[in-house]
């Protein structure tokens, strides 16, 4: 397992080096991470935080600093140029990669998305989602072909589902299950 983790870290560092860093102009880098437990609980704690710290240990041409923000703000940091790279970025088959204002590196892992609903709503299913109030993170609403509401955050959306204020929440299984 440790060998696999090290291999993933090395591949990621190499891919960042090829995509972002001009070898003639090595420099300090700023990572902006989305606050998505367990990937990033804060700028100091989380799986991706640990990954960036490991990258910093082997990046010898500068220092990598880490900032964690709500996902929409973290992506905005990347787009405004205040930070050099963002994680985790979801990649969809429906994206027009040429139109994006950023580039993707290698895929680190795949994520399973799940519809979380109130246990009392027996009618909702994947074929009738357009009839219900469903939330997801604002930066991935365009990945879906049904009307979606922007989520203020994972925990708040789950609370709204539990209270019946919204009908469902769609997001990656890992962070949601860890929060539940």
């Amino acid at each position: 397992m440790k060998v696999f983790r090290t291999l993933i870290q090395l591949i990621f560092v190499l891919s960042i080096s090829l995509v972002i860093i001009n070898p003639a102009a090595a420099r300090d880098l700023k990572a902006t991470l989305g606050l998505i437990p367990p990937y990033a609980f804060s700028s100091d704690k989380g799986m991706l935080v640990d990954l960036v710290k490991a990258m910093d240990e082997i990046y010898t041409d500068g220092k990598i600093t880490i900032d964690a923000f709500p996902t929409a703000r973290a992506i905005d940091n990347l787009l405004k140029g205040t930070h050099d790279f963002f994680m985790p970025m979801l990649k969809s088959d429906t994206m027009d990669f040429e139109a994006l204002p950023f580039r993707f590196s290698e895929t680190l892992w795949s994520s399973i998305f799940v519809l979380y609903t109130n246990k009392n709503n027996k009618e909702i299913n994947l074929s009738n989602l357009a009839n219900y109030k469903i939330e997801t993170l604002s930066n991935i609403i365009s990945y879906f072909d049904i009307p979606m509401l922007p989520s203020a955050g994972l925990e708040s959306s789950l609370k709204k589902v539990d209270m019946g204020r919204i009908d469902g929440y769609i997001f990656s299984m890992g962070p949601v299950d860890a929060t539940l």
Side-chain angles (χ1 to χ4, degrees):
M1 183 71 178
K2 191 170 188 164
V3 172
F4 179 73
R5 181 175 174 222
T6 303
L7 179 62
I8 291 292
Q9 291 169 346
L10 289 173
I11 290 170
F12 189 77
V13 169
L14 290 173
S15 63
I16 285 181
S17 297
L18 294 173
V19 173
I20 295 177
I21 306 166
N22 176 348
R27 59 188 171 91
D28 291 344
L29 298 174
K30 290 178 72 175
T32 181
L33 307 181
L35 284 171
I36 303 173
Y39 305 126
F41 294 99
S42 68
S43 296
D44 297 317
K45 183 179 176 194
M47 292 171 21
L48 289 179
V49 173
D50 293 342
L51 175 62
V52 175
K53 287 177 181 178
M55 291 165 46
D56 182 43
E57 288 177 18
I58 60 174
Y59 179 61
T60 59
D61 293 328
K63 175 105 179 104
I64 301 175
T65 57
I66 304 167
D67 293 316
F69 300 97
T71 304
R73 181 173 172 199
I75 291 173
D76 193 51
N77 291 338
L78 177 70
L79 297 177
K80 286 182 177 173
T82 62
H83 289 72
D84 299 297
F85 64 97
F86 167 81
M87 292 189 302
M89 178 57 75
L90 297 172
K91 196 174 189 180
S92 167
D93 293 338
T94 62
M95 290 177 154
D96 178 3
F97 294 107
E98 297 299 320
L100 295 174
F102 51 83
R103 291 179 282 188
F104 282 94
S105 67
E106 296 298 315
T107 300
L108 295 177
W109 70 83
S110 295
S111 186
I112 298 170
F113 275 60
V114 177
L115 168 64
Y116 294 86
T117 63
N118 187 295
K119 64 184 175 185
N120 296 320
N121 186 341
K122 307 290 187 215
E123 303 299 318
I124 193 171
N125 61 58
L126 294 178
S127 66
N128 66 4
L129 290 181
N131 301 325
Y132 294 94
K133 291 191 293 187
I134 308 295
E135 285 189 359
T136 193
L137 289 184
S138 60
N139 60 302
I140 62 170
I141 285 177
S142 63
Y143 291 18
F144 300 94
D145 59 356
I146 58 165
M148 301 283 272
L149 301 169
S151 168
L154 190 150
E155 289 184 20
S156 66
S157 288
L158 290 175
K159 286 177 184 175
K160 287 196 261 182
V161 169
D162 186 48
M163 294 185 308
R165 292 179 57 209
I166 61 172
D167 300 301
Y169 179 64
I170 295 178
F171 197 61
S172 176
M173 182 173 68
V176 177
D177 284 0
T179 300
L180 290 173

